[in-house]
Amino acid sequence: MPKIVVLRWGHRPQRDARLTTHVVLTARALGASGLILSDIKDKKIKEAIEKVTENWGGPFFFEMGVPWKKSVKEWKEKGGIVVHLTAYGENIQTSDVLQRIKASEKDILVIVGSQKVPKVFFSRPVSDFNVAIGSQPHSECAGLAVFLDRFFDGTELAKDFENAKMRIIPQKRGKKTVKK
Amino acid sequence: MPKIVVLRWGHRPQRDARLTTHVVLTARALGASGLILSDIKDKKIKEAIEKVTENWGGPFFFEMGVPWKKSVKEWKEKGGIVVHLTAYGENIQTSDVLQRIKASEKDILVIVGSQKVPKVFFSRPVSDFNVAIGSQPHSECAGLAVFLDRFFDGTELAKDFENAKMRIIPQKRGKKTVKK
């Protein structure tokens, strides 16, 4: 199975603190291998995700401050493809874009913007595919979740995380966790 | 097809402003009929979602300030069921919980918490089902998105919104919108 890494672009530490944290947690919980917070450093988010991975397991890497151009360039040099999630792209439900992405059998860098993204993100030097999780405005967090769930055919939600200190035991009622 | 309404509980206007906005937008874009912001009013969120619905279409209703107990009671009196999204519930991937929910053929009130929810949310007087979008901590926005996408089998992303002023025409490259 190809691996997926998320590139979070346009993070503004004050305004986007919680949303970016949710994007990182979503990436981890739904099967991505790691997330790159591009162009900026945010120690609080790094600490938050490292604490989650320490308690609930991994592997999941978090990098920050890398210029987005560098990440994209290196990703492509290693043979990976780039998918840009945008409401303007090919609709994941009504087009065959997901099948074409899967058919490539390549590792995927998924770009998830915060603020309005530069025009170049839509074009070939950057993105191999522009994918819309529906053609309505909504949330990059929701979009990323649906993309990962569909890409991994749901298997990511059954994944066993390694070196977890805690684990939830699913229950019909109430909460049950075990310490390892 | 049964309808889904989202109940957002525990909203804190300062801290949760953007996240709750994303939850509301996700509800609308992924096929819910409306959202109830329980127990509190937040005019800014109301204005934001009304603007989106005015421009991009509906129908989608937004209510706020209703005590959660009242919403749940009225929902059940009308014959609906309540689904509480929580990482501690039955795993949507590894259990048959979604099949059981669908088999009920009833309208669904989906409870999405912000802060830690009251214990009673897990129990029978409130929730008919506790559903985990994976047993890992992540984001209520992501969880709601995956639940809706799986419940509607993806058809929600092809839905045509009524009375829209603007519509996106999906593109492989660039942005294209039409005014109606």
Side-chain angles (χ1 to χ4, degrees):
Chain A
M1 180 67 95
K3 71 172 183 182
I4 292 188
V5 170
V6 176
L7 186 145
R8 168 69 159 172
W9 181 87
H11 171 70
R12 297 155 293 187
Q14 285 291 343
R15 184 174 156 87
D16 300 323
R18 288 192 68 219
L19 263 178
T20 295
T21 302
H22 278 232
V23 168
V24 182
L25 293 175
T26 297
R28 175 187 166 280
L30 274 81
S33 304
L35 184 140
I36 301 163
L37 185 69
S38 80
D39 305 287
I40 195 166
K41 294 188 180 182
D42 189 326
K43 218 175 70 178
K44 282 189 187 168
I45 290 175
K46 184 180 161 68
E47 285 166 4
I49 183 65
E50 284 178 352
K51 199 175 157 192
V52 168
T53 301
E54 194 187 319
N55 285 327
W56 298 95
F60 184 81
F61 74 82
F62 178 82
E63 286 175 19
M64 59 187 184
V66 190
W68 69 265
K69 276 190 187 172
K70 187 166 180 272
S71 297
V72 167
K73 190 166 172 272
E74 288 177 359
W75 190 263
K76 296 201 168 188
E77 282 170 1
K78 284 190 290 183
I81 60 168
V82 175
V83 169
H84 172 217
L85 295 187
T86 164
Y88 297 95
E90 295 181 82
N91 190 313
I92 197 169
Q93 176 67 16
T94 59
S95 79
D96 63 353
V97 67
L98 185 60
Q99 286 82 331
R100 280 150 48 218
I101 290 169
K102 284 184 176 181
S104 80
E105 296 182 352
K106 290 181 176 167
D107 290 343
I108 301 168
L109 185 69
V110 175
I111 300 183
V112 175
S114 175
Q115 27 179 327
K116 196 177 171 187
V117 304
K119 240 183 179 174
V120 69
F121 278 22
F122 289 88
S123 65
R124 179 72 76 187
V126 178
S127 300
D128 296 282
F129 298 95
N130 291 284
V131 176
I133 310 304
S135 306
Q136 292 288 327
H138 57 102
S139 166
E140 63 269 27
C141 196
L144 177 63
V146 170
F147 181 81
L148 293 172
D149 191 44
R150 291 192 178 203
F151 184 82
F152 292 122
D153 291 316
T155 57
E156 80 287 353
L157 296 182
K159 182 177 148 185
D160 207 12
F161 285 76
E162 296 166 22
N163 302 316
K165 286 186 188 167
M166 295 197 294
R167 200 157 60 91
I168 289 171
I169 311 295
Q171 301 288 309
K172 288 191 178 178
R173 305 267 163 213
K175 302 181 184 183
K176 187 172 180 181
T177 54
V178 288
K179 290 189 180 171
K180 282 197 172 176
Chain B
M1 179 67 95
K3 70 171 184 183
I4 293 188
V5 169
V6 177
L7 188 145
R8 169 69 159 172
W9 181 88
H11 171 70
R12 296 155 294 188
Q14 286 292 341
R15 185 173 155 87
D16 300 323
R18 288 191 71 218
L19 263 178
T20 295
T21 302
H22 278 231
V23 168
V24 183
L25 293 175
T26 298
R28 176 187 166 280
L30 275 80
S33 304
L35 184 139
I36 301 162
L37 186 67
S38 81
D39 304 288
I40 195 166
K41 295 188 179 183
D42 190 325
K43 220 175 68 178
K44 281 189 188 169
I45 289 175
K46 183 179 162 66
E47 286 167 3
I49 183 63
E50 283 178 352
K51 199 175 157 193
V52 168
T53 301
E54 194 187 319
N55 285 327
W56 297 95
F60 185 81
F61 75 81
F62 178 82
E63 285 174 20
M64 58 186 185
V66 190
W68 69 263
K69 276 189 186 171
K70 187 166 181 274
S71 297
V72 167
K73 190 166 170 273
E74 288 177 0
W75 190 263
K76 295 202 167 186
E77 281 169 0
K78 285 190 290 182
I81 59 169
V82 175
V83 169
H84 173 217
L85 295 187
T86 164
Y88 296 95
E90 296 182 80
N91 189 313
I92 197 169
Q93 176 67 16
T94 59
S95 80
D96 63 355
V97 68
L98 185 60
Q99 286 84 330
R100 278 150 47 219
I101 291 169
K102 285 184 176 182
S104 80
E105 296 183 352
K106 291 182 176 165
D107 290 342
I108 302 168
L109 185 69
V110 176
I111 299 182
V112 176
S114 174
Q115 24 179 329
K116 197 177 171 187
V117 304
K119 240 184 180 175
V120 70
F121 279 21
F122 288 89
S123 65
R124 179 73 75 186
V126 179
S127 300
D128 297 282
F129 299 95
N130 291 285
V131 177
I133 310 303
S135 307
Q136 292 288 326
H138 58 101
S139 165
E140 61 270 26
C141 196
L144 176 63
V146 170
F147 181 80
L148 293 172
D149 190 44
R150 290 192 179 202
F151 184 83
F152 293 121
D153 291 316
T155 57
E156 80 288 352
L157 296 182
K159 181 177 148 186
D160 208 12
F161 286 75
E162 295 166 22
N163 301 315
K165 286 187 188 165
M166 295 197 294
R167 202 156 58 91
I168 290 171
I169 311 295
Q171 300 290 308
K172 288 191 176 177
R173 306 268 164 213
K175 302 181 185 183
K176 187 172 179 181
T177 54
V178 287
K179 290 189 181 173
K180 282 198 174 175

